[in-house]
Amino acid sequence: MLKFANQPHAPSWYAATANDATRHPVLQGTIDADVCVIGAGLTGVSTALNLAERGYRVALLEASKVGWAASGRNGGQLIGGFACGIDTFGQFMNESEVKQIWAMGLETLDIVKSRVAKHRIDCALTEGYFTAANKARDVDDLKQWRDEAAQRFGYDRFRYVDGDGVRQYVQSERYPGGLYDPDSGHLHPLNYTLGLARAAREAGVQIFEDSAVTNLRDEPGGHTIETAQGKVRAKFVVLACNTHLGTLAPELARKIMPVGTYVIATEPLGKERMAALMPAQAAVCDSRFVLDYFRPAPDTRLLWGGKVSYSTFEPRNLGEAMRSDMLKTFPQLADVKVDYAWGGFVDITMNRAPHFGRLSPTVYFAQGFSGHGVNTTGLAGTLIAEAIHGQAARFDLFGKIRHRDFPGGAALRTPALVLAMAWYRMKDLL
Ligand SMILES: Cc1cc2nc3c(=O)[nH]c(=O)nc-3n(C[C@H](O)[C@H](O)[C@H](O)COP(=O)(O)OP(=O)(O)OC[C@H]3O[C@@H](n4cnc5c(N)ncnc54)[C@H](O)[C@@H]3O)c2cc1C
C-alpha cells in the first residue's frame, strides 16, 4: 500500500476544529464518469466542483481523506498573485499576456471569496494581509512593488507603512516597514477544503476516500483508473496529487520538489492580548525567501508557520523549535504554551511558477503552487474545467512557462535543493 494512503488527518489545530466529519466510501467495483479527478486537496475538489457545475459526471478519488495533505495543513494565508515574481511570466509571454496573468492573480482572491459566500463555507475568512520587511533593502523592494502594481497594472490598493504604522499589524520591533494588502487575507484551510467538497457532493461529484490510485491505463475511447478495490472508466483524467504524485507520472514529479514546512498553534491568548499583538487581525508573512508566516486564529491562538526541511523528516522537538522562532518576533509571548505542532510538504517548482498542463489531450494536471496554493488552486480548478469544456486559452497561457526538472531524479533532488536553499538563506542574512 502507498505510504500516504488510508491515513487519518494530521493532529493539527485544523483537524481539532474541523466542522464537517463526513466520511466518503472506498471505491469498490467499476464506475463510469466523464472525468476522474485524482487527489482531493484544494486543486482536486475545486476542479471537480467546477466540472460538475458545467454538467460533467465526476469521480474524485482520494488516497486518504479530503484535505489530508497540504490543503488541510497549511498556514491559511490567502495571498493574491503567484509565488514567483511577475517578471518570471515576462520571460515567456508578451506584456499583454503578462497583464492577463496579473488579472488572474487577482481573480484567485475573487474565486475563493465567492465560493465561500456562495456555499456558505464556515472557514473564518478574514481580509487583510501584511508583508513585513526584514531589512531596509526589503523596504525599497516593497515600495517598488507597490509602484509597479499601480503604474503597470493599475492596482493601487497596496499601502506602505513604517514606524508605528507597522505595530498596527505586528506588535514587534523586528520589522522596519511593510506593505498592507486589503484584498488578501486568511482562512481555516481544512474547513475551506471540506466546504468545497460538500459543495462538490451537492453538485453531484462522487467522492471516494481511502482509494489511492495505483495505476492509469489508456484504453480505446478513454482511461481506466485503478485502485485496490475498484476502477473508474473516464474520458478525462485530472492529476491533482501535488507532492504525492510519485510513480503515477514521474515526468511531472521531477518538476517539483517536496519541501517540509511547519506550523504551530499556541494556547488561546485571550481577546485583549491577541488584539494587542496583531491589532488589525491581518495575516503576516515576512519578506525573506525562507520566511515566517503567522496569523491570529478566531479562538485567539497565534498560528505561527515557518522553517523548511529538505529531508522527509520532521525537525526534532518541532513545537519547541518553532516556538523559539516565534519568540524572535514576539518575545512578549515567552510564557505562552504551544498546543499543536504539525507540518506538510509544499510543492516547489524550480522557478516557483505554477505548473499546469496536459500529459495528453485528455490527461490534465496542476501542481507546483510553490507555497501559494490557498488562492491559486481555485484558479487551477476553474481553468481546467474551462479547458475540458473547450475554452483552453487561459489554461494554455500557463503552458507557455518552461519548467525545468530538478536534477538527479528523486534521490538527488534533495541535495540539489539544499544547496539552492543554502544560497537563498545566506542572501536572507546579508
Ligand atoms: C505547512 C504548509 C503551509 C503552507 N502555507 C500556505 C499558505 O499559508 N498559503 C498558501 O497559499 N499556500 C500554503 N501552502 C501550500 C498549499 O497548501 C498548497 O499549495 C495547496 O494546498 C496544494 O493543494 P493540492 O490540492 O494541489 O495538493 P494537496 O493538498 O497536497 O492534495 C493532494 C492530494 O492528492 C492525494 N493523492 C496523491 N496521490 C494520490 C493517488 N495516487 N491516489 C489518490 N489520491 C492521491 C493526496 O492524498 C492529497 O490529499 C502551505 C503548505 C504547507 C504544507
Side-chain angles (χ1 to χ4, degrees):
M1 191 177 64
L2 295 168
K3 260 201 296 198
F4 59 89
N6 301 12
Q7 300 290 317
H9 280 290
S12 66
W13 175 76
Y14 298 133
T17 51
N19 55 22
D20 183 349
T22 306
R23 288 279 66 92
H24 301 90
V26 174
L27 177 68
Q28 286 176 325
T30 301
I31 63 166
D32 290 307
D34 298 318
V35 187
C36 179
V37 179
I38 307 175
L42 281 168
T43 304
V45 288
S46 302
T47 305
L49 173 56
N50 278 286
L51 284 164
E53 284 174 338
R54 286 175 180 269
Y56 291 85
R57 289 172 309 152
V58 183
L60 174 58
L61 302 181
E62 165 54 43
S64 283
K65 308 291 176 286
V66 171
W68 171 79
S71 298
R73 305 172 184 221
N74 63 60
Q77 309 246 345
L78 172 69
I79 309 167
F82 303 91
C84 61
I86 199 78
D87 289 343
T88 304
F89 295 101
Q91 292 167 23
F92 307 101
M93 296 173 200
N94 63 36
E95 182 65 6
S96 128
E97 291 168 332
V98 170
K99 286 193 166 141
Q100 284 182 59
I101 293 280
W102 167 271
M104 284 193 253
L106 290 181
E107 184 184 338
T108 60
L109 297 176
D110 294 339
I111 289 173
V112 174
K113 290 174 194 175
S114 61
R115 284 291 179 201
V116 168
K118 177 173 177 187
H119 307 294
R120 296 199 170 81
I121 300 175
D122 176 9
C123 62
L125 173 61
T126 307
E127 289 187 322
Y129 164 72
F130 186 70
T131 309
N134 287 77
K135 302 185 286 284
R137 195 182 60 211
D138 300 345
V139 162
D140 296 339
D141 289 348
L142 289 177
K143 286 181 179 165
Q144 207 180 321
W145 175 231
R146 171 201 60 191
D147 295 344
E148 186 179 1
Q151 286 152 19
R152 187 170 170 194
F153 301 109
Y155 181 83
D156 61 2
R157 288 174 58 76
F158 291 144
R159 192 153 47 81
Y160 178 77
V161 298
D162 52 19
D164 279 349
V166 174
R167 317 287 171 257
Q168 200 190 335
Y169 303 102
V170 201
Q171 193 54 243
S172 172
E173 300 299 317
R174 199 171 176 190
Y175 311 107
L179 202 63
Y180 179 66
D181 167 0
D183 297 323
S184 295
H186 53 108
L187 49 67
H188 186 306
L190 180 58
N191 281 339
Y192 174 54
T193 313
L194 297 173
L196 288 179
R198 171 181 44 81
R201 258 188 337 262
E202 287 167 4
V205 174
Q206 286 186 275
I207 304 180
F208 300 95
E209 293 182 317
D210 297 329
S211 302
V213 173
T214 49
N215 196 25
L216 289 175
R217 275 191 295 120
D218 288 351
E219 316 227 299
H223 304 273
T224 298
I225 299 96
E226 298 174 344
T227 66
Q229 299 179 51
K231 283 181 192 154
V232 179
R233 287 191 304 232
K235 184 158 180 227
F236 292 95
V237 175
V238 179
L239 298 170
C241 302
N242 194 20
T243 52
H244 294 87
L245 184 64
T247 52
L248 274 188
E251 64 273 52
L252 292 186
R254 283 197 290 272
K255 305 278 192 223
I256 57 171
M257 173 74 211
V259 175
T261 170
Y262 304 91
V263 184
I264 52 173
T266 66
E267 63 183 323
L269 302 181
K271 276 202 175 104
E272 238 171 71
R273 199 167 180 191
M274 178 48 90
L277 200 70
M278 303 182 78
Q281 303 288 290
V284 178
C285 286
D286 74 22
S287 57
R288 292 172 305 171
F289 187 81
V290 179
L291 75 170
D292 294 328
Y293 48 94
F294 46 98
R295 66 189 187 90
D299 63 356
T300 77
R301 297 172 194 273
L302 180 68
L303 299 184
W304 177 274
K307 287 219 178 301
V308 288
S309 117
Y310 314 105
S311 67
T312 48
F313 300 110
E314 196 170 282
R316 259 187 296 158
N317 298 327
L318 178 62
E320 198 38 53
M322 296 291 292
R323 186 174 167 278
S324 90
D325 282 354
M326 175 183 83
L327 295 183
K328 290 179 195 154
T329 292
F330 293 125
Q332 63 270 48
L333 297 186
D335 60 321
V336 167
K337 287 205 303 282
V338 170
D339 279 350
Y340 300 87
W342 67 94
F345 293 104
V346 290
D347 46 336
I348 307 267
T349 57
M350 199 78 121
N351 60 11
R352 303 185 86 209
H355 185 205
F356 302 168
R358 297 177 192 80
L359 286 180
S360 76
T362 50
V363 179
Y364 287 70
F365 65 85
Q367 61 172 14
F369 299 98
S370 302
H372 217 286
V374 171
N375 67 323
T376 322
T377 47
L379 180 71
T382 304
L383 298 187
I384 292 174
E386 280 177 15
I388 288 178
H389 203 60
Q391 298 144 357
R394 298 197 320 148
F395 183 77
D396 286 342
L397 212 44
F398 286 87
K400 292 189 159 206
I401 302 164
R402 266 197 316 282
H403 287 278
R404 289 163 53 203
D405 287 355
F406 279 91
L412 289 175
R413 263 187 282 155
T414 299
L417 193 82
V418 171
L419 283 177
M421 288 292 181
W423 159 246
Y424 281 115
R425 258 183 203 286
M426 205 169 77
K427 277 182 52 174
D428 281 344
L429 294 172
L430 293 175

